[in-house]
Amino acid sequence: MRPVNSTSAHYFLAEDGGGCGGAIRITDIHGEQLTVDGIVLRPDAVQATRVQFAAR
């Protein structure tokens, strides 16, 4: 995996412009990590997953 930065508009951008072809791991501000596999990323689309961060 490689790190990508979250923008102020809450989307993610890889510095090299490369897309995602595999699993993505998301880390929240509390350090909890979720891994999402088998998702095809599409621009400008809300995409459901089967994972959820813990309620705080």
Side-chain angles (χ1 to χ4, degrees):
M1 294 203 180
R2 64 185 170 147
V4 293
N5 297 316
S6 175
T7 69
S8 60
H10 302 292
Y11 65 91
F12 299 91
L13 181 64
E15 288 185 20
D16 66 2
C20 177
I24 59 171
R25 183 176 17 196
I26 306 161
T27 306
D28 73 2
I29 61 171
H30 302 286
E32 182 180 355
Q33 294 183 337
L34 301 174
T35 302
V36 180
D37 196 13
I39 188 169
V40 177
L41 300 179
R42 295 181 311 257
D44 301 318
V46 174
Q47 295 172 249
T49 66
R50 294 185 182 103
V51 297
Q52 178 68 47
F53 286 113
R56 299 197 190 272

